[in-house]
Structure formats: C-alpha cells, structure tokens
Amino acid sequence: MDDELQAHEEEKRQLKKGLVERLVNSGLRVDRRLIEEILKQDCIDEFLREILKDDQYWTAGGPGDQWTPYHVLYILGLKADEKSLEALKYAMKNRLEETGDFVTEELPAILYPSACKIPEKVWELALDKTYDVYVRIAAIRAICAAGVLNEELKRDIADECKKLLTEETNDTLIGLTLPAMAELKDEELWDKVKETYEKIEFAQEVVSREGLEELHGGTADRPDYLHATKDLWNHFSRENLDNMYEGSYGTGKRQDEPVRRHAKKTGRNEPCPCGSGKKYKKCCGKKWMNKRLTNGDFSTRQPTNSDPLSHGSGCMTRSFSEYRIPKPAR
C-alpha cells in the first residue's frame, strides 16, 4: 500500500513538473489552457517558486527567454492562497531589480485576489518595512480596493488604515495611498485622511483636495480601485501576448531567437553612470524619481528595454499617471 501511495505521489509530482516545463518551453506565447491546468494542481507552488529563485529564468536568452517568471507572478496572483502569497513576497523582496515597473504597474492587481481572501496576510506585507516602499504601497492599494467592493471587509480595513496613518512615518507611502483610502467611504477614516493630507506636503503634490473629495464621493473619472481590480486573465489573452510578442521580437522574428535589448538598467546600488561616485539611487536615480512623482507619474521604476514587460500591450506599459487626480489649473 505504501509503495502504491508513493508511486501515486511521484506520478502527481511528475505531472506538475511536466506542466511547469511546458510553461517554460512556451516562452511568451503560453496557452491559457495550460495555465488553467496549472491552477488545478495542489502544491505546485514549490515548482513555481523555483522559477522565481533561479537566475537563468530571469535572463534574456535563457529558458523561456525571461518571460516565465512574469507568467508565474500572474499565476500566483490567480491562485491567491497563503503559499502563493509567500512566493510573491519572495519575488518582491529578492527580484526588485528584475521586475522593474511591474511593482508599481501590476502588483496591486496581482495582490488583489489575496487581499479579498486573506486580507490579514496582505496587511502584514503592507506593514512590513523590510520591503520596498512601493511594494507596500501596492499592497495597501489592493487592500483598499478589496474594501471598496466588499462591505464585509470595509470596516476592518478602514480601522487598519486609520492606525496606519497614525503610526506610519514614510510620507511617500502615505501620499501615494491616501487616494485609495479616500475611496473606502468610511467617515472616520475620511476625517483622518483629510487631516493627514493637510499635514503632508508630498501628499498635496500627488493629489488635489478636490481629487480626494471626488474619490471619496464616488465621482472621480478614474477611480483608484480600478487599477487594482484588473482581470489577471487578460495577461494570458491572445491579443495581449501577441502585442507583447511584436513589441519584443517584431513581426519578422521567431520567438526562439534571442531578444536584442539595447539598454541595460542601472541597479539602484550600482555606481551612478554620471560619474559622481555616488550610488545611482542617491544621485540621478533620486532626481529622476522625484521629477516623475512631482509630475504625478506614480510609475517610479526606471523604464528600460531590458525589462520584458516594458514592451507590448497597454496593460504592460501604463504608468500610474493615468490614474492620478490632476491639480486644478492655477
């Protein structure tokens, strides 16, 4: 009996391994039916996490030509359980340089299903200061979106937001999450949002008071929560994958040809290319980021052709400037 059980378990393990191998071999143009099969498998997270941990999968010209880890991030978002969230957290702590704009552009939507199912776990991520501030911002936006669309969650989420506004000291995090908090339509939280807004200059550079009021009243042209509630299956749509394929390979290239990327991204801790002798994040990177934030562009990761998701469909290239609330003309 034990031998039969072991054989059965090994058969299931080989099935999962085979599905992941098919995912890698698919490169960019992965079949949705394969994703559906992967999602049916219990305990496949260990195989998916190995993809995120292995450098070769993040390398252009390597297995899957750098696309597989991004597919995995969407799969983990769709699974939305504790093991999948832990794998996502691993990537957000250890693969920030590789993911680039993904953190600010796609992570709120990736985390949203988990925010609905296990909100307390996503709150732990939002409060954990060992993570990059923009990872924490994405978590808060996902949680607030869950509260906007789920009355059962709204009260607890509003209470956590009030506590956060009282205890948090990072003005960037507060300024970029006040719009999401305003949408919860909790009057006690709304009073705290208005009070905090008046105290933090950066918040006033990000969003106008009128904009906050429109978000709270439900009359904003571009509600913040919509960014976090995008359908993750759209990533695997034929139209999206075809657009991304054309953007990276062109119409005349085969997918198995290496992508010629023309720009190498400067790491945050690498020497600044201007020759100042400072780290990039303390020099030109800081100047570049501040300029974009002042202009209302929330996409604070430096764009570069080395990031595969910087190409292709609008889903991959939208900046948060599309969702900002503009200041009134002076």
Side-chain angles (χ1 to χ4, degrees):
M1 186 67 180
D2 288 342
D3 290 342
E4 290 182 7
L5 180 60
Q6 289 180 3
H8 180 62
E9 290 299 318
E10 179 60 24
E11 182 180 344
K12 290 196 298 182
R13 179 177 176 82
Q14 290 302 318
L15 171 62
K16 296 170 189 176
K17 183 178 179 181
L19 289 172
V20 174
E21 287 177 353
R22 287 171 56 194
L23 177 66
V24 173
N25 293 334
S26 297
L28 172 56
R29 283 177 164 163
V30 62
D31 192 303
R32 173 175 172 142
R33 289 170 295 182
L34 173 60
I35 305 303
E36 292 171 347
E37 283 299 313
I38 290 174
L39 288 170
K40 292 177 184 177
Q41 305 300 316
D42 294 328
C43 303
I44 199 171
D45 306 82
E46 62 176 294
F47 295 96
L48 299 176
R49 184 163 180 159
E50 286 303 311
I51 297 292
L52 300 178
K53 292 171 67 175
D54 195 330
D55 289 345
Q56 66 175 329
Y57 295 108
W58 294 92
T59 304
D65 198 22
Q66 204 173 2
W67 295 106
T68 308
Y70 293 96
H71 294 325
V72 167
L73 293 173
Y74 281 91
I75 293 169
L76 293 171
L78 287 165
K79 285 180 69 65
D81 55 31
E82 289 192 32
K83 289 184 178 179
S84 298
L85 181 59
E86 286 302 312
L88 281 170
K89 288 166 65 175
Y90 168 84
M92 293 305 103
K93 181 163 282 189
N94 296 281
R95 294 295 183 181
L96 280 179
E97 295 296 333
E98 292 88 345
T99 50
D101 280 343
F102 182 91
V103 170
T104 48
E105 295 296 333
E106 300 302 314
L107 188 56
I110 295 288
L111 291 173
Y112 173 74
S114 294
C116 294
K117 294 181 180 180
I118 44 175
E120 69 283 357
K121 297 298 181 180
V122 182
W123 263 120
E124 290 178 7
L125 172 60
L127 297 175
D128 191 338
K129 295 183 179 181
T130 66
Y131 286 89
D132 183 270
V133 65
Y134 296 100
V135 173
R136 298 177 61 208
I137 289 168
I140 294 169
R141 296 180 77 203
I143 293 168
C144 288
V148 169
L149 299 179
N150 190 324
E151 282 291 328
E152 294 181 0
L153 296 177
K154 185 174 78 170
R155 180 71 259 174
D156 289 341
I157 291 172
D159 288 343
E160 292 294 336
C161 286
K162 285 185 289 185
K163 186 186 302 183
L164 179 73
L165 292 179
T166 299
E167 300 174 355
E168 181 59 51
T169 59
N170 189 308
D171 286 356
T172 298
L173 182 142
I174 294 174
L176 295 179
T177 55
L178 284 181
M181 295 183 190
E183 288 186 312
L184 283 170
K185 297 183 181 180
D186 177 273
E187 293 310 311
E188 291 183 9
L189 174 60
W190 176 232
D191 288 340
K192 189 66 176 178
V193 166
K194 291 185 290 184
E195 175 188 336
T196 304
Y197 178 82
E198 297 301 329
K199 293 179 179 178
I200 298 180
E201 183 178 349
F202 176 73
Q204 298 167 31
E205 296 175 355
V206 171
V207 60
S208 69
R209 175 62 181 268
E210 291 82 359
L212 279 180
E213 291 174 350
E214 289 177 359
L215 287 166
H216 181 66
T219 60
D221 291 337
R222 297 181 183 274
D224 189 83
Y225 74 87
L226 290 181
H227 188 69
T229 55
K230 295 182 294 186
D231 185 356
L232 298 183
W233 280 108
N234 286 341
H235 171 73
F236 299 106
S237 71
R238 181 54 51 194
E239 180 183 6
N240 182 55
L241 295 179
D242 285 348
N243 285 337
M244 292 167 66
Y245 184 94
E246 182 176 348
S248 284
Y249 300 95
T251 55
K253 289 187 176 181
R254 302 190 313 274
Q255 181 177 328
D256 56 2
E257 293 183 22
V259 181
R260 306 302 180 189
R261 310 193 191 278
H262 302 292
K264 181 181 183 299
K265 181 168 64 176
T266 303
R268 294 173 68 244
N269 292 310
E270 293 179 7
C272 188
C274 75
S276 67
K278 299 179 181 179
K279 290 184 178 181
Y280 177 73
K281 67 182 180 181
K282 296 292 186 180
C283 190
C284 292
K286 183 177 182 180
K287 297 173 186 176
W288 176 86
M289 182 180 292
N290 288 340
K291 180 179 179 181
R292 297 193 76 179
L293 289 173
T294 301
N295 291 334
D297 186 346
F298 292 2
S299 180
T300 54
R301 300 292 177 188
Q302 183 183 11
T304 168
N305 289 337
S306 66
D307 293 327
L309 293 188
S310 68
H311 301 288
S313 73
C315 180
M316 294 293 101
T317 58
R318 283 191 304 217
S319 71
F320 282 2
S321 60
E322 291 184 39
Y323 299 89
R324 77 182 178 97
I325 310 301
K327 288 188 176 184
R330 298 184 183 278

